[in-house]
Amino acid sequence: MTEKPSVKKTTLGKKVRLDIKERFTIRELFPQQGNLISQVMARDIGKKVDFSQEEMVEFEFKERKDPDGGFSNWTWSDEKEKSIAITFTNPEITFLKEQIDRMDGAKEITQDMLSICQKIKSLDIGE
């Protein structure tokens, strides 16, 4: 009887369509401090959702600054809005779900975070 060859477990994950606001908001899930693994994971996810210079021009990004020099945020053309598919690995999905659970337990989820949280929580981790 021949044995099946061992198959390396995959870390492939799932594709998720994120709009511009969700790509900005996902960073709010990242812990400010943590262990090395969590900070590397946050950095790698951040790279995936970052905007290229071409996208910034295409979406007509503009920075809106507080006149007092404090808070600033980004605006973009609603007519240019489009979502993109981003593939998150199984470990990244697990990390994001853990961050959502942490923030949910601390009652830190905002209305702005709701859509990205629901999308992430609905993902199944596949084999």
Side-chain angles (χ1 to χ4, degrees):
M1 183 169 161
T2 59
E3 279 187 46
K4 285 185 181 179
S6 66
V7 178
K8 183 178 169 189
K9 266 202 162 186
T10 181
T11 56
L12 294 177
K14 304 281 181 184
K15 283 189 180 184
V16 182
R17 292 205 70 80
L18 300 180
D19 63 26
I20 293 172
K21 184 176 181 181
E22 291 166 337
R23 288 170 68 187
F24 274 117
T25 305
I26 198 168
R27 291 178 175 277
E28 293 178 35
L29 301 174
F30 300 165
Q32 291 299 308
Q33 296 178 323
N35 62 23
L36 181 62
I37 298 286
S38 68
Q39 293 304 308
V40 169
M41 193 73 70
R43 180 198 62 203
D44 290 349
I45 293 168
K47 286 179 184 178
K48 289 182 178 186
V49 300
D50 275 348
F51 295 93
S52 68
Q53 291 179 29
E54 292 81 14
E55 287 176 313
M56 293 179 84
V57 170
E58 177 186 349
F59 302 143
E60 299 175 8
F61 278 21
K62 292 185 178 38
E63 186 176 13
R64 188 172 57 198
K65 292 189 178 193
D66 182 311
D68 298 328
F71 179 75
S72 70
N73 62 5
W74 290 94
T75 62
W76 56 89
S77 170
D78 289 336
E79 291 140 16
K80 305 281 183 167
E81 173 80 36
K82 81 176 181 188
S83 62
I84 64 165
I86 297 175
T87 302
F88 292 118
T89 64
N90 290 338
E92 289 170 338
I93 294 167
T94 299
F95 169 78
L96 289 168
K97 286 183 174 193
E98 288 170 353
Q99 298 314 307
I100 292 167
D101 291 344
R102 174 186 57 80
M103 293 183 76
D104 189 35
K107 298 183 180 180
E108 296 175 342
I109 303 291
T110 65
Q111 284 294 311
D112 286 341
M113 299 172 162
L114 195 55
S115 71
I116 188 68
C117 289
Q118 289 176 317
K119 282 184 180 181
I120 299 298
K121 290 296 278 186
S122 72
L123 294 175
D124 290 325
I125 296 175
E127 294 266 336

